Amino acid sequence: MNEPLSFVQPTANSPWGTYLSQVDRVVPYLGHLARWAETLKRPKRTLIVDVPIEMDNGDVAHFEGYRVQHNLSRGPGKGGVRFHPEVTLEEVMALSAWMTVKCAAVNLPYGGAKGGIRVDPKRLSTKELERMTRRYTSEIGIIIGPQRDIPAPDVNTNGQIMAWMMDTYSMNTGTTATGVVTGKPIHLGGSLGRVKATGRGVFVTGREAARRLGLNLDGARIAVQGYGNVGSSAAELFGQAGGKLVAVQDHSGTIFNDKGLDIADLAAYVRDHGGVGGFQGAEPMHGEDFWDVRCDILIPAALEGQITAERAHRLKARMVLEGANGPTVSEADDILASRGVLVVPDVICNAGGVTVSYFEWVQDFSSFFWSEDEINLRLDKIMVDALKKIWDTADKHKITLRTATFAVACERILIAREERGLYP
Ligand code: GLU
């Protein structure tokens, strides 16, 4: 008998609702481990914290922060911290659960966790941002640590935020605990290749999927939603492989160029203007028309729930590479599958970031740092091997890559769960 969770009422297309339906789909492939499947639907530990800070004008402002440790069966919690005005507990729960699945899909010795603060960081000064980050770190300090739960960057957080988190945790514990967060600046124990790792992983999985579909990357039309760290790094690598970036959408606008826009010029423009809107080397386009653009590869690299059922009917892509977490709702997944559009799901497609986070954590512990080539080679191998196993599983059971990724990952998670047993 399972009592429902009392603190969240998911709707079908909400992030947690989407995740729960993804779990339901994998249960038939779990064999005797299905007995433990309910574990996946319950975060192990959920922390909500008040984050009060003094603003520059002397006012006191309060923000709500979260850290959810979804599952720790395979190792310490791992997952980013997001600063966004729409962050909710339910969203962080879903993101933490996807981290559990993602880490297991690439066989990293981690559980899954995620954190966030409901805030618009663009409205804070640098000093306010620092105070908020440090207070949040102190508040979640009771559950994080290099062997307990290791945060990292996510939407609107970066190396500087990680440096403040590392410093705050270190000051509070009286150690220099570089291994408490990943995605740090290089001279604070960060890893070469980490910043571009998520985008690189998207490229590697896309390259492998294209090979299987017989799609030539040279000349392939690419559309990207979200031009932050993940979207821009992936676009750059596809560009180097001969891909044509025909459409880009972000918070500042949607742009289109049928001949392919200049990726280096766009990178410089985004650096100066904070978004793609107004870029001269392309035409502006109505936001909703982005989903009708004729392309070979669509890369959603922004937020959850972007590919709705309605948009899934309209997409004109051969494959979708999920750089974002949770961009496709389950109904849309079914529509894309029936239309023959291949979806490389978030839980493998964007696993490059956490994979290099793992490399960073290992390097911090051994105090021995690897070259960028070594990191990129190891990343490539892990992603290619993981995707092959997932593809074989999909072929064997005739299931989507998403359900196959869940099958591979959930088997690993639930074997650990079963072998550890219930205590007490
Ligand atoms: N935020 C990233 C993700 O969603 C990276 C997490 C990490 O490196 O721990 O996968």
Side-chain angles (χ1 to χ4, degrees), residues 28-44:
Y29 305 97
L30 293 177
H32 79 282
L33 293 168
R35 174 172 179 248
W36 295 99
E38 183 70 16
T39 299
L40 301 166
K41 296 186 169 187
R42 290 166 184 267
K44 176 182 175 63

Side-chain angles (χ1 to χ4, degrees), residues 122-175:
K122 294 185 184 70
R123 294 174 59 181
L124 298 184
S125 70
T126 304
K127 282 287 162 203
E128 289 165 345
L129 190 62
E130 177 174 351
R131 286 196 287 275
M132 185 187 72
T133 302
R134 288 184 180 277
R135 180 63 190 244
Y136 168 73
T137 308
S138 289
E139 293 295 340
I140 65 166
I142 53 174
I143 62 168
I144 63 169
Q147 302 286 5
R148 307 177 79 193
D149 179 0
I150 305 113
D154 196 76
V155 174
N156 292 331
T157 55
N158 57 22
Q160 176 62 77
I161 305 274
M162 295 306 116
W164 290 328
M165 290 187 76
M166 186 278 260
D167 181 69
T168 305
Y169 182 86
S170 297
M171 299 308 281
N172 287 344
T173 54
T175 54

Side-chain angles (χ1 to χ4, degrees), residues 275-308:
V276 302
F279 177 62
Q280 293 295 311
E283 302 286 313
M285 178 184 244
H286 185 269
E288 199 49 41
D289 295 343
F290 174 80
W291 305 100
D292 296 310
V293 168
R294 191 172 57 78
C295 61
D296 297 298
I297 302 178
L298 173 72
I299 307 178
L303 297 172
E304 305 88 50
Q306 295 300 300
I307 305 185
T308 57

Side-chain angles (χ1 to χ4, degrees), residues 65-114:
Y66 312 94
R67 185 76 189 168
V68 178
Q69 295 173 343
H70 172 260
N71 190 289
L72 305 179
S73 294
R74 287 170 41 84
K78 188 83 195 80
V81 172
R82 174 174 294 201
F83 293 170
H84 193 274
E86 272 141 43
V87 165
T88 60
L89 173 62
E90 196 209 303
E91 181 194 34
V92 178
M93 282 165 54
L95 293 165
S96 71
W98 284 319
M99 286 309 304
T100 303
V101 176
K102 191 187 303 183
C103 291
V106 278
N107 216 356
L108 306 179
Y110 289 135
K114 199 84 173 199

Side-chain angles (χ1 to χ4, degrees), residues 206 210 215-224 234-235 238-239 241-248 255-261 263 285 289-290 292-299 316-321:
L215 170 69
N216 191 352
L217 289 185
D218 195 8
R221 293 166 64 87
I222 322 271
V224 180
F238 278 109
K244 265 201 314 189
L245 184 60
V246 291
V248 183
I255 56 173
F256 175 75
N257 183 335
D258 200 44
K259 297 198 175 64
L261 39 83
I263 295 174
M285 178 184 244
D289 295 343
F290 174 80
D292 296 310
V293 168
R294 191 172 57 78
C295 61
D296 297 298
I297 302 178
L298 173 72
I299 307 178
K316 291 170 188 66
R318 288 185 66 188
M319 69 165 98
V320 175
L321 303 178

Side-chain angles (χ1 to χ4, degrees), residues 74 99-108 347-348 351 382 385-387 389-390 405-406 408-410 412-413:
R74 287 170 41 84
M99 286 309 304
T100 303
V101 176
K102 191 187 303 183
C103 291
V106 278
N107 216 356
L108 306 179
V347 280
I348 179 63
I382 287 182
D385 290 352
L387 189 64
K389 185 169 168 68
I390 289 162
T405 311
F406 268 68
V408 168
C410 294
R412 290 179 177 146
I413 299 158

